[in-house]
Amino acid sequence: MRSSALGIICHGGSGVIKDRQAAAQGLAQALEQGYRLLRQSARALDAVVAAVKVMEDNPIFNCGTGSNLTLDGKAEMDAAVMTQKGRFGGVCCITDVRNPILVARKVMTETDHLLMCGEGATDFARKMGFEKHDVTTERAQKRLERLRQEGNSPYFPGLEKMMKLGTVGAVAIDKHSQLAVATSSGGITGRLPGRVGDTAVIGAGTYAGPSGAVSCTGHGEPIMRMMLGKDAVDRMKTLPGSIAVTLALSEARRQKALCGMVGFDARGGICFGHTTPDMSYGYMVGDRLFLFTEDKKK
Ligand code: ASP
């Protein structure tokens, strides 16, 4: 499919979706916010950051408020932004901030660095004026508790159990045909403290280049190993985005990687797919909103 002008696509994570209606509603809010900005001539970067911020503030998503907790009960979050021109900013294992995506953007605009982690990232957020904010929810605590009670390996809990509703991401194309991507994640429940997922690793969970941009979700370790985001965007040099994503995900499936992604190619071709049983996603193009729930009914 091809959009002639503006567009935004968001995902709310791949895996098993427990509450499809809540996910659809949350995605619609994020998409409408991002698209409204695009209609007001905002840049793709502004649109994706705004859309992701909406999802970070919605506790049903695994990012910002509602983030999954580490084995020791902390919300360590990863987030990143990237533009088609190669500008990138990311934070990983950041704690006690309401919107990691806004901090990631500050890393891009206010520093010469690409990626900041842990205490350094949290200190940087404070210096940039982001107040201390506890993102822990009862629901996330219960998820961790259940995992502990089930007695799974503390170092690698069963994938099916931890892949519930995941990371969020947004990719947009603005009126100047510029692309940008933003991804934000609360990681995987019960992971070791200090574990870094794919989200803020350039070329893995978040990637944009001259040929396209994608945001990934799923099991971070294989996504990083495969450099899934870069693989998909590289394929867009010669192929439409939808085919590029299908091929990148075929390789992921072959490697038994549980994942999904959404994006646009440089011509505005929209793309999405997943190797997991499900993925929540939606997009707005030509003033029309499309949600994954409608897809299932077709
Ligand atoms: N990709 C995230 C991670 O591995 C998790 C997710 O997408 O649900 O940290």
Side-chain angles (χ1 to χ4, degrees):
M1 184 191 156
R2 244 188 108 167
S3 76
S4 52
L6 316 174
I8 182 163
I9 182 163
C10 293
H11 67 75
S14 61
V16 177
I17 302 158
K18 269 175 114 180
D19 187 341
R20 297 179 70 80
Q21 205 190 342
Q25 263 169 16
L27 281 163
Q29 277 165 3
L31 287 161
E32 277 158 7
Q33 172 70 11
Y35 196 78
R36 192 174 309 126
L37 290 174
L38 291 172
R39 286 292 306 263
Q40 291 164 1
S41 302
R43 289 176 307 162
L45 178 66
D46 297 315
V48 291
V49 169
V52 165
K53 182 181 177 297
V54 168
M55 292 190 277
E56 286 183 337
D57 289 338
N58 184 338
I60 71 138
F61 294 115
N62 169 28
C63 58
T65 302
S67 285
N68 285 335
L69 305 176
T70 60
L71 197 56
D72 63 358
K74 276 212 192 104
E76 296 181 350
M77 301 166 282
D78 297 346
V81 293
M82 188 162 186
T83 71
Q84 193 177 16
K85 290 192 173 142
R87 297 183 75 206
F88 179 92
V91 288
C92 52
C93 296
I94 193 168
T95 58
D96 299 304
V97 290
R98 183 170 161 180
N99 295 114
I101 200 68
L102 299 182
V103 187
R105 186 186 181 151
K106 286 280 184 200
V107 172
M108 182 177 93
T109 57
E110 306 301 320
T111 81
D112 288 331
H113 308 316
L114 292 185
L115 183 58
M116 299 194 61
C117 78
E119 258 178 56
T122 308
D123 287 349
F124 171 73
R126 298 285 173 268
K127 283 194 188 97
M128 291 291 118
F130 296 97
E131 282 169 17
K132 193 168 178 187
H133 183 89
D134 186 4
V135 295
T136 315
T137 59
E138 210 176 298
R139 214 159 137 191
Q141 278 166 333
K142 280 197 184 135
R143 276 200 297 271
L144 179 63
E145 204 40 52
R146 258 199 314 276
L147 199 92
R148 283 185 177 138
Q149 278 164 7
E150 282 163 8
N152 285 321
S153 156
Y155 300 107
F156 205 78
L159 273 180
E160 306 74 33
K161 295 211 169 73
M162 61 196 194
M163 305 282 291
K164 291 271 159 62
L165 190 69
T167 299
V168 306
V171 182
I173 183 160
D174 63 27
K175 71 170 191 184
H176 303 294
S177 299
Q178 287 300 302
L179 297 168
V181 51
T183 316
S184 182
S185 179
I188 290 172
T189 297
R191 64 199 182 278
L192 284 178
R195 177 263 190 185
V196 173
D198 58 298
T199 298
V201 174
I202 189 169
T206 300
Y207 193 66
S211 51
V214 295
S215 170
C216 302
T217 165
H219 187 199
E221 279 70 11
I223 294 175
M224 286 188 276
R225 206 175 286 123
M226 294 176 62
M227 297 299 287
L228 187 63
K230 182 158 172 21
D231 180 34
V233 171
D234 280 352
R235 291 176 195 263
M236 292 179 200
K237 286 175 189 164
T238 51
L239 294 167
S242 55
I243 296 176
V245 163
T246 302
L247 292 177
L249 288 174
S250 306
E251 179 55 27
R253 203 168 280 115
R254 207 181 60 77
Q255 298 200 23
K256 300 196 181 350
L258 296 171
C259 57
M261 69 171 94
V262 301
F264 277 103
D265 66 33
R267 290 173 304 281
I270 207 158
C271 40
F272 47 83
H274 49 99
T275 69
T276 43
D278 220 337
M279 178 172 79
S280 62
Y281 66 93
Y283 55 85
M284 273 194 88
V285 286
D287 292 346
R288 290 221 320 265
L289 172 70
F290 174 92
L291 290 169
F292 72 104
T293 39
E294 294 157 20
D295 191 25
K296 290 272 158 183
K297 285 184 209 139
K298 277 180 190 167

